[in-house]
Amino acid sequence: MHAIAAPFGLFKRTCHYNAAACAVGLLGVGHCSTVGDTEYALQHFDNVFIGVFVVVQYDHVIEVLPAGIGSSPRFGRCYCLHDDRLLIWIRLSYMTMGTTTQSSRFDLMTPALLVDLDKLESNLQKMQTAVSRTGKHLRPHAKAHKCVEIARRQVKAGAVGVCVATMPEMQWMTAAGIGVLLTTPVASRIKTDCIAALTKSGADIRVVVDHPEQAHLYQDSAARVGATIPMLVDLDVGDHRTGIPCDERAVALARLIAGSKNLLFAGLQAYSVSGSHTEGAIERRNHSMKAIAQAVVIQRELLAAGFDARTLTGASTGTWDIDTAITEVTEIQAGSYPLMDAAYRRIIGEDFAPAMTVLATVISASHPDRVTVDAGYKAFATDRPFGPEAVGLEGVRWQWGGDEHGILHLENPSRPIRLGDQMEFIPPHCDPTVNLYDRIYATRGGRVEEIWPTKNTLL
């Protein structure tokens, strides 16, 4: 047990494997304390973020459970793999994330993922105010930022919870006490069993399905543990990615859910992938309204039949101002607006400020017409047909230079660029860019105020 990096939460079990934990504590460097509850531990061990609880039986690690609790953004993590024959400890990393707080952002090792707190807070308030004014709910998509701290700020501002796209995102958010809608259908008993168990334990989880077999899987899993799972029908409104067609099959699926003992029909999901990125304000509006109109037909038919189909959730950052004006839409799933990226700025302009940037350093300046920075494919998402945009610098052209390199062609730079200069870049796409980092440096006025772990810190 002592081979594992500290600090980490500690469960002690003294009897058989499935017994409830008899004590909860906190293990730190050179110190072990077993106490009655985690809140006591956190009060007596200041500035500690517990990412995992290690389950110990007779001084042997038998399980690692995700936690995600703490009093500040310090963080230590470890993993173990266990079977009946072998126990292997794997120390992936040990980080005390808060050590650079209140330092200059330009003291950070690059590339580094930054969020400007002033811009972030402005974006959160603008979206929440606009959605609340229409009488709708905001359930922002956390797949964009994958960060509990940003999700907490969204909920504090008035969001009813968050959306998540994956099981790890769901576990990360629910561990922090945040309600989630899993917007992706699942089709394995391992996942439905996990969701049922979390729901039974009190986690606020809603899910979507687009096929009767998925509903049967959820029903079986929920019945085994005695849980009730709120469930929405995921509608295909034109993208053919997920979703059941908007016809009698959707109605039949809703009836199946409503008739299942351990499932609760909770409404409809209608998300238009293509609508969120349609260029041109008029074209985007027409596309979104046409997509949602298909879902409205199903919603009205179910309401007329006596089903509670009032919830119609969807929308995106690209259509936030369009879908908030559609009466039947009740919940907005916009995800990118807190951070923003170059792609959405090209589509919706200056609606929201670019709060997220990647800080990079000029590491080569051997040619008069170009410089190289230490940020390449591994620092930015590459799924858009363009590269990142330099902040506060015009007259340059980005070129991908490889895994760790980006090349800036100095065509007519608006300021001199020298070796060692640090520069910020707006990523092409925020979601998969965040996915490349395990922490976000939250800055204000050039200073690092906080350091936030992303879901990748645990996974």
Side-chain angles (χ1 to χ4, degrees):
M1 180 180 74
H2 298 291
I4 296 180
F8 56 86
L10 177 67
F11 279 135
K12 281 191 175 180
R13 289 177 175 165
T14 57
C15 40
H16 59 84
Y17 179 83
N18 291 321
C22 65
V24 180
L26 190 70
L27 182 66
V29 179
H31 183 87
C32 183
S33 175
T34 301
V35 297
D37 57 59
T38 56
E39 289 301 320
Y40 178 92
L42 290 172
Q43 290 169 10
H44 289 76
F45 292 84
D46 292 335
N47 298 324
V48 174
F49 185 96
I50 302 302
V52 292
F53 275 111
V54 178
V55 183
V56 178
Q57 181 179 7
Y58 303 124
D59 208 41
H60 290 283
V61 176
I62 61 174
E63 191 175 3
V64 173
L65 306 172
I69 60 173
S71 55
S72 82
R74 275 67 169 175
F75 185 74
R77 64 170 167 163
C78 59
Y79 277 62
C80 78
L81 303 177
H82 174 268
D83 59 27
D84 293 336
R85 298 162 298 165
L86 181 66
L87 177 65
I88 304 173
W89 288 310
I90 302 177
R91 179 176 176 178
L92 294 184
S93 69
Y94 172 53
M95 295 170 284
T96 304
M97 283 193 171
T99 55
T100 59
T101 53
Q102 294 303 324
S103 63
S104 169
R105 62 181 174 174
F106 296 112
D107 291 334
L108 299 173
M109 284 193 289
T110 58
L113 189 65
L114 310 182
V115 166
D116 184 297
L117 284 168
D118 291 331
K119 294 178 180 179
L120 173 73
E121 291 162 2
S122 175
N123 291 344
L124 296 184
Q125 190 59 51
K126 181 175 182 179
M127 178 64 82
Q128 187 63 59
T129 299
V131 173
S132 297
R133 187 181 295 124
T134 65
K136 303 182 188 302
H137 295 302
L138 178 62
R139 186 182 289 271
H141 218 308
K143 73 183 182 71
H145 54 70
K146 306 180 192 298
C147 177
V148 165
E149 181 57 36
I150 295 178
R152 284 196 181 112
R153 289 169 181 249
Q154 290 174 313
V155 171
K156 185 177 180 179
V160 296
V162 299
C163 296
V164 294
T166 66
M167 296 289 291
E169 291 169 2
M170 178 194 71
Q171 292 168 315
W172 191 216
M173 294 295 162
T174 56
I178 299 171
V180 303
L181 167 62
L182 179 61
T183 60
T184 305
V186 303
S188 73
R189 190 168 301 282
I190 293 175
K191 292 183 177 182
T192 57
D193 281 350
C194 176
I195 292 168
L198 284 172
T199 302
K200 178 63 175 179
S201 70
D204 178 8
I205 299 174
R206 299 194 301 167
V207 301
V208 304
V209 295
D210 66 1
H211 194 282
E213 290 186 16
Q214 296 163 354
H216 291 311
L217 279 172
Y218 272 117
Q219 169 57 33
D220 292 344
S221 295
R224 277 194 295 274
V225 298
T228 299
I229 301 177
M231 183 172 293
L232 290 79
V233 172
D234 183 27
L235 299 173
D236 180 1
V237 291
D239 294 307
H240 312 316
R241 183 174 71 175
T242 67
I244 195 167
C246 295
D247 55 27
E248 68 278 358
R249 288 169 286 185
V251 175
L253 182 54
R255 291 182 180 276
L256 172 64
I257 295 167
S260 300
K261 182 179 179 180
N262 295 88
L263 306 179
L264 175 66
F265 177 65
L268 304 169
Q269 173 176 268
Y271 175 68
S272 175
V273 183
S274 54
S276 63
H277 291 282
T278 298
E279 295 188 6
I282 296 175
E283 292 81 1
R284 191 164 58 257
R285 181 178 300 277
N286 291 340
H287 190 295
S288 188
M289 294 186 72
K290 181 179 179 181
I292 298 299
Q294 302 173 67
V296 171
V297 172
I298 303 302
Q299 182 188 43
R300 290 173 178 171
E301 183 172 347
L302 289 170
L303 288 171
F307 295 99
D308 187 0
R310 291 173 294 175
T311 295
L312 177 55
T313 182
S316 67
T317 298
T319 61
W320 74 278
D321 56 340
I322 299 168
D323 297 337
T324 49
I326 299 176
T327 303
E328 291 83 1
V329 174
T330 61
E331 193 172 85
I332 304 298
Q333 293 185 4
S336 298
Y337 73 94
L339 306 179
M340 289 303 290
D341 53 36
Y344 264 132
R345 282 168 60 79
R346 292 183 179 204
I347 293 171
I348 65 173
E350 304 295 325
D351 285 358
F352 300 96
M356 185 183 78
T357 58
V358 170
L359 183 69
T361 302
V362 177
I363 59 171
S364 180
S366 300
H367 302 280
D369 61 344
R370 70 191 65 190
V371 297
T372 301
V373 300
D374 59 351
Y377 294 133
K378 292 180 179 179
F380 299 101
T382 60
D383 61 326
R384 296 291 185 256
F386 46 83
E389 298 178 359
V391 176
L393 179 63
E394 298 178 353
V396 297
R397 176 172 53 86
W398 174 272
Q399 177 190 334
W400 296 106
D403 288 354
E404 287 84 17
H405 304 97
I407 299 171
L408 275 186
H409 292 270
L410 308 179
E411 297 176 338
N412 185 25
S414 57
R415 60 179 173 82
I417 306 296
R418 299 180 178 87
L419 184 70
D421 284 355
Q422 290 193 329
M423 308 174 59
E424 292 180 69
F425 294 88
I426 301 172
H429 189 181
C430 60
D431 305 37
T433 296
V434 172
N435 198 56
L436 300 172
Y437 295 85
D438 65 3
R439 70 193 76 178
I440 297 171
Y441 294 95
T443 68
R444 195 187 308 272
R447 309 294 292 180
V448 178
E449 285 197 359
E450 298 183 49
I451 305 174
W452 300 334
T454 69
K455 77 162 186 68
N456 303 298
T457 312
L458 283 179
L459 304 171

